[in-house]
Amino acid sequence: MPHRCAGRSRRNQSEGAFAMGLRVGWIGMGRMGYPMAERLLDAGYEVSVWNRTRAKAEPLAKKGAVLVDAPRDLSSVDVLFTMVSTGADVEQVYFGPDGVLSGDGAVPKIFVDCSSIAVEQSADIRKRLAARGAQLLASPVSGNGKCVRAGKLSSVASGPREIFDTVEPLIAAIAGRGVSYVGEGELSRFCKIAHNVFLGVVIQNLAEITILAQKAGVPRAAFLDFMNNSVMGSVFTRYKANALVNLDWTTTFTPELLRKDLDLGLSSARRLNVPMPVTAATREALQAHFGAARLKDDPEAYLALDFAAILETVALGAGIELVSEGTPVPTGLEVPAQAAE
């Protein structure tokens, strides 16, 4: 049964008070991890942080974060959060030579992984943690760094219900829009995979119809304004409109990570015998973007830009040369001045 965080009951307030006393560890200071950890600090939690590149975490020390030298230095926290790029990264920081579990002594009792990883890998990690007396809550999130800062991130969680109840106030402090508890085991991984499949399908089709309208003579800003004010508009289409209008490919999510998630979705579909022809077509359309990148002066740097740059690949196929329209479009994720201070 979904569990939302808005409107806390007296019981949830009590759980929140208990959560404030938990020692929290955090690993991962990427585009998502940094603002997520920052929200915990802003909410008054004591957080110890490790990141491979220490300099990325140093600004949080001014907000009270304790920086540690290695993941193993977080072995004594009560709750450990991870927000890293891949399942291999999760395994490395948990079980690697300097990992949180590399010693023989204390280990965190609760691991909360917010990364997007494969279902099978998550199940294996859960089993390995259980062997050390720890429990895993899989809690991937929906949104990007701007969503985090605007308090519009959402999260889905699965694992032991009592563990979820313990850490829900922590996740709620990060997410802003609430936490949906969907059951035991790896069910939240399926939810996140399905979510990112939809993300890929939507951005691909949004790019296609935007180029279709442009080739017919409609400015991108005008077309996307119409779409965003229609029943088809969404938080996602609104916050991507500025990028598509002004060719702003500031990275929120890379094509490579999107391709990984589409592959995870198709792999799950094959295993569960679910036909997903639209996803398969989207996967191949995205692959064309990797080929088009070879036309750029620095293909590697280009593929590190935001996945919305697939608009350029669609335009290439349509014989259109894109230029910025120079029309700033509100994203809906602007942080109020008082919240940004």
Side-chain angles (χ1 to χ4, degrees):
M1 177 179 178
H3 185 100
R4 305 299 289 178
C5 291
R8 284 190 179 172
S9 65
R10 186 173 300 173
R11 172 173 172 247
N12 284 337
Q13 289 173 350
S14 175
E15 290 168 350
F18 172 74
M20 288 299 296
L22 294 172
R23 295 168 298 170
V24 180
W26 191 282
I27 292 178
M29 289 281 108
R31 286 182 293 270
M32 294 289 289
Y34 184 98
M36 289 168 72
E38 185 177 38
R39 281 184 67 88
L40 276 180
L41 289 163
D42 289 343
Y45 292 97
E46 295 183 6
V47 184
S48 298
V49 174
W50 179 81
N51 191 62
R52 183 176 290 110
T53 305
R54 185 185 179 92
K56 291 183 178 180
E58 286 176 347
L60 288 185
K62 297 177 182 178
K63 291 201 168 192
V66 176
L67 306 189
V68 301
D69 296 324
R72 64 174 178 271
D73 296 329
L74 297 171
S75 62
S76 63
V77 301
D78 299 308
V79 181
L80 178 72
F81 282 84
T82 43
M83 184 59 178
V84 294
S85 296
T86 68
D89 293 325
V90 176
E91 292 196 3
Q92 180 66 26
V93 297
Y94 286 2
F95 310 111
D98 291 322
V100 180
L101 288 92
S102 59
D104 297 324
V107 300
K109 295 301 180 186
I110 302 174
F111 286 70
V112 182
D113 180 49
C114 301
S115 316
S116 295
I117 70 174
V119 173
E120 298 84 358
Q121 192 168 28
S122 182
D124 181 65
I125 290 172
R126 184 182 301 280
K127 185 183 300 184
R128 294 169 69 182
L129 289 177
R132 293 290 301 273
Q135 298 195 73
L136 173 68
L137 188 75
S139 188
V141 297
S142 169
N144 58 32
K146 290 182 178 180
C147 289
V148 180
R149 292 184 172 91
K152 295 185 178 180
L153 195 72
S154 60
S155 178
V156 59
S158 64
R161 180 64 197 236
E162 65 275 13
I163 297 303
F164 171 75
D165 288 340
T166 298
V167 302
E168 182 205 7
L170 292 164
I171 303 173
I174 296 166
R177 296 195 69 165
V179 189
S180 297
Y181 176 77
V182 294
E184 299 285 336
E186 316 314 322
L187 292 179
S188 65
R189 302 294 191 190
F190 283 103
C191 292
K192 183 56 192 294
I193 289 169
H195 171 282
N196 280 15
V197 164
F198 189 43
L199 177 75
V201 170
V202 171
I203 191 61
Q204 177 64 35
N205 194 246
L206 187 62
E208 291 175 5
I209 62 175
T210 299
I211 293 300
L212 173 65
Q214 178 176 340
K215 194 160 188 181
V218 183
R220 295 191 301 278
F223 173 70
L224 290 168
D225 181 64
F226 159 67
M227 288 297 296
N228 288 333
N229 288 318
S230 76
V231 295
M232 300 305 295
S234 68
V235 172
F236 175 69
T237 64
R238 285 183 178 87
Y239 80 63
K240 277 304 179 191
N242 185 68
L244 299 180
V245 169
N246 297 304
L247 312 185
D248 179 359
W249 310 137
T250 301
T251 307
T252 63
F253 194 57
T254 65
E256 184 176 3
L257 289 175
L258 179 59
R259 182 171 62 176
K260 177 202 73 172
D261 289 343
L262 289 172
D263 285 340
L264 287 173
L266 289 169
S267 175
S268 296
R270 284 190 290 271
R271 189 172 65 258
L272 296 172
N273 291 316
V274 177
M276 296 179 68
V278 175
T279 303
T282 300
R283 167 53 168 89
E284 295 312 303
L286 177 62
Q287 187 60 43
H289 183 65
F290 286 80
R294 306 310 302 176
L295 301 175
K296 302 293 182 178
D297 293 335
D298 189 342
E300 185 175 347
Y302 183 68
L303 289 173
L305 298 177
D306 194 69
F307 69 114
I310 64 171
L311 184 78
E312 295 186 342
T313 297
V314 176
L316 181 66
I320 292 178
E321 183 174 347
L322 294 178
V323 296
S324 170
E325 292 185 357
T327 305
V329 179
T331 65
L333 299 179
E334 289 78 14
V335 179
Q338 63 272 22
E341 294 176 355

